[in-house]
Amino acid sequence: MAKDNAQGNQTAQDGREIEVLGTCQTQPKMDAQHDHNIAPALVWSYAQEEALVSVSNQHDHDKCYRLLPDAEDRARRIAARYAGLYFDSAAKSNGKVQFYWPALAAFVVKDIVEAYRFDRENVLEGGWSNAARTSALPALVSQGLSDASPYAHAMRVYVALAKGNLWLYMDIYPWLYFFLRFGIKQDGSLNEARLRSHVEQRNATEYQQQSRKAVEDLPFGRAWFARQQARQANDPVYKRAAQYFETRPTWSGMDGGYGALTAASYQASNYVKAHIASYDGGYHLPVAAKWQPMSEAFYVMEEERIELTRVAQDKAAFDRMDKIAKFPTTKEIRETYELLISEFYGGPEAQAEIQLSELKVIARQEQLNILQPLIYDDQKLKETMDMNHRFARASGGVMTTKYRVIYSAKPTTDDPKLQTVFDPPSGRWRQFRDGIMNDQQSLPNPVDRMKYVGQIANDFHYLMSHDRTYMESELKTIRASGGEKHA
């Protein structure tokens, strides 16, 4: 139920103002409907709003939707929505079309949730349990190899994951949601004319004003970083915590003054943990609620400030992002729509082959058109990811986690059939030799990564072809993990 407001838009019962879109009743007979000629920009605004609302919560006091502040919560929602696209596309089309890439993406984003957890609990929290990664010796090794601390590397990965995951979703989800919502009619038939014409007409600069502003204000965009940097410059929590170090220790005595420095560090970190929530506002990574276990919270905050400032000052990255944030039509998106139309008419015999093609085409859109310019072209991130891979490969995943996709709703598995590992060594000798010689592939390198993506696609397709019952059961679990209700 919705009612008209003064501007002629509609206000739904949930309080979300939307345009009148889609099918409008023009006759008193219940089933007599007419497709109103709505401007493509408004229909695309609606599809974009669906992506925005799906990673937001509605607040009781004003019924407005606000973006989930926690990147980890957003990732759970995104994984759930990708899984939902897989099931919903089959339901609406009566099985004639079933989006394939989103099913794989649900597993990948579930792994991103685990990557966040590892970054926090196994690096940023520090302490004795993580001494092998964050104590003095590994910190010196990290500084010697890359001129950055373990905390800096962990923060760099956390920020990149948060940025890449959110903006990729904002690009991909509306393309597929539009096909499902506006390309398949209520009677189950396909609106080819709309799909082929409207696929060329998505442009964020032409969105309805509210939708356009919501996209412009998303985290890691120009407007968000302007606000974040202003808040960071005036952060009273950091300024007060830093004052514990204003009285420099006297470098003499039995401990050379180290005890005074340790005490200052302890006090500064405790102050950060006690007060960070008072000045969060959704601009800390991780969110304030996750800082309590961090034994060296002050030093983590310093690395957070350095990393966010570095990204905020990367003009070339902003120029690349400006292009991505318009969500332009690419040849991969056109090809995706044509493949989905072919799948609709191709019948069960051709479906599996078309689905695999669809997966690989969207993977090119995802990896080469979005993630490469968005995050992987960052040389500092490449240094971090290459070093992580070097140590993971040499230690068999003991020092840090391997880059891998796990085909399970659980965060990890020991079953080699349920995972695809990036650049595995051919034997134990190569494992140590390559680590010492720094001779391995690079995930940020598009050639190396696309080779890996191809292997992922083949492994995923094999599991879907031979054990779909298991895979769909795991996807249902991922869909339920997002916290949204489903019939």
Side-chain angles (χ1 to χ4, degrees):
M1 179 69 68
K3 61 183 180 180
D4 288 342
N5 65 14
Q7 287 73 41
N9 293 335
Q10 289 191 338
T11 303
Q13 284 187 335
D14 63 10
R16 179 162 47 124
E17 186 177 283
I18 60 175
E19 294 80 20
V20 182
L21 300 175
T23 303
C24 304
Q25 286 197 1
T26 56
Q27 299 183 43
K29 184 179 178 182
M30 183 65 70
D31 295 329
Q33 296 186 333
H34 170 68
D35 284 338
H36 196 69
N37 186 23
I38 303 296
L42 296 183
V43 186
W44 280 116
S45 296
Y46 188 96
Q48 193 70 57
E49 277 195 21
E50 186 65 24
L52 291 161
V53 167
S54 68
V55 289
S56 303
N57 273 343
Q58 189 181 37
H59 290 226
D60 290 335
H61 70 282
D62 60 5
K63 301 301 180 183
C64 289
Y65 284 86
R66 292 178 176 85
L67 189 75
L68 293 167
D70 187 351
E72 299 180 36
D73 288 342
R74 292 199 298 265
R76 292 186 187 91
R77 285 278 184 90
I78 289 170
R81 278 296 183 116
Y82 282 146
L85 282 175
Y86 170 77
F87 292 109
D88 294 344
S89 56
K92 187 170 184 184
S93 68
N94 296 316
K96 294 180 180 179
V97 171
Q98 187 156 32
F99 298 158
Y100 211 49
W101 178 90
L104 173 57
F107 288 110
V108 174
V109 178
K110 178 270 306 177
D111 291 338
I112 289 175
V113 175
E114 171 60 13
Y116 286 134
R117 185 211 61 78
F118 181 89
D119 253 19
R120 282 190 297 101
E121 296 182 7
N122 295 75
V123 184
L124 295 178
E125 289 183 8
W128 286 107
S129 62
N130 295 320
R133 300 182 188 89
T134 61
S135 61
L137 181 58
L140 285 172
V141 173
S142 177
Q143 290 279 4
L145 290 175
S146 64
D147 195 30
S149 73
Y151 294 149
H153 287 299
M155 190 60 69
R156 192 171 293 162
V157 171
Y158 201 101
V159 170
L161 287 175
K163 179 181 179 181
N165 192 41
L166 178 63
W167 281 92
L168 173 64
Y169 180 71
M170 289 297 149
D171 178 81
I172 293 287
Y173 188 87
W175 289 117
L176 295 174
Y177 178 82
F178 180 91
F179 191 102
L180 180 62
R181 173 68 176 80
F182 300 110
I184 302 175
K185 299 178 182 179
Q186 292 181 355
D187 63 5
S189 62
L190 202 63
N191 192 332
E192 290 182 63
R194 174 182 286 169
L195 288 170
R196 289 197 168 103
S197 65
H198 283 43
V199 72
E200 303 291 343
Q201 300 181 67
R202 182 183 176 195
N203 185 338
T205 63
E206 298 175 357
Y207 284 170
Q208 179 265 353
Q209 188 272 334
Q210 288 176 317
S211 303
R212 185 175 67 250
K213 182 70 163 57
V215 170
E216 290 171 351
D217 283 342
L218 283 171
F220 311 108
R222 289 183 185 271
W224 185 87
F225 262 120
R227 297 191 301 272
Q228 185 277 328
Q229 288 288 285
R231 288 177 63 88
Q232 180 173 290
N234 296 288
D235 186 348
V237 178
Y238 176 79
K239 289 180 179 180
R240 176 65 186 88
Q243 289 175 0
Y244 287 105
F245 296 92
E246 288 183 356
T247 302
R248 297 296 176 184
T250 301
W251 301 105
S252 61
M254 293 184 65
D255 69 354
Y258 182 75
L261 182 65
T262 301
S265 172
Y266 179 80
Q267 290 175 298
S269 292
N270 278 352
Y271 187 87
V272 167
K273 290 190 285 186
H275 297 279
I276 187 172
S278 68
Y279 197 72
D280 184 352
Y283 293 91
H284 277 298
L285 291 160
V287 290
K290 290 184 165 68
W291 285 62
Q292 296 310 306
M294 296 181 188
S295 59
E296 296 184 299
F298 178 78
Y299 295 125
V300 173
M301 179 176 277
E302 283 201 315
E303 297 295 2
E304 177 203 32
R305 292 167 64 88
I306 292 169
E307 176 62 14
L308 289 175
T309 297
R310 183 187 73 83
V311 178
Q313 293 176 350
D314 190 339
K315 181 182 182 301
F318 274 126
D319 289 343
R320 296 192 299 269
M321 189 172 194
D322 286 344
K323 296 177 182 178
I324 292 168
K326 293 178 182 177
F327 310 125
T329 307
T330 63
K331 66 176 184 176
E332 284 77 16
I333 293 300
R334 293 186 190 97
E335 189 175 347
T336 296
Y337 269 42
E338 290 302 325
L339 284 167
L340 293 174
I341 291 170
S342 297
E343 182 183 345
F344 186 89
Y345 294 115
E349 298 80 9
Q351 188 170 41
E353 182 179 348
I354 295 174
Q355 285 178 326
L356 182 58
S357 296
E358 170 240 298
L359 186 157
K360 292 181 177 180
V361 170
I362 299 181
R364 293 202 304 270
Q365 168 74 4
E366 163 204 11
Q367 295 293 334
L368 302 180
N369 296 338
I370 307 299
L371 294 179
Q372 188 66 40
L374 189 65
I375 60 172
Y376 289 129
D377 279 346
D378 182 341
Q379 185 60 33
K380 287 294 185 182
L381 178 65
K382 183 180 186 302
E383 292 174 6
T384 290
M385 295 188 70
D386 287 351
M387 190 174 75
N388 284 351
H389 179 48
R390 180 180 181 181
F391 282 107
R393 201 170 184 265
S395 68
V398 174
M399 289 295 294
T400 186
T401 56
K402 303 174 185 177
Y403 297 139
R404 58 180 180 165
V405 175
I406 295 172
Y407 309 106
S408 168
K410 296 178 181 178
T412 188
T413 181
D414 294 326
D415 188 343
K417 296 179 181 177
L418 295 179
Q419 55 185 303
T420 306
V421 180
F422 174 67
D423 185 29
S426 57
R428 189 169 295 276
W429 163 245
R430 287 300 301 266
Q431 177 178 319
F432 291 109
R433 181 261 179 199
D434 292 349
I436 293 171
M437 300 299 293
N438 194 20
D439 181 16
Q440 60 268 318
Q441 295 180 24
S442 171
L443 194 67
N445 180 292
V447 175
D448 291 345
R449 192 171 69 258
M450 291 311 292
K451 178 181 176 182
Y452 177 51
V453 169
Q455 186 60 54
I456 292 170
N458 292 335
D459 291 349
F460 172 78
H461 189 56
Y462 179 87
L463 288 168
M464 291 292 280
S465 301
H466 291 81
D467 200 353
R468 189 172 291 248
T469 300
Y470 161 79
M471 294 290 277
E472 290 191 344
S473 174
E474 298 300 292
L475 286 167
K476 288 175 182 176
T477 300
I478 293 172
R479 181 174 65 169
S481 71
E484 293 187 282
K485 294 180 180 179
H486 298 277

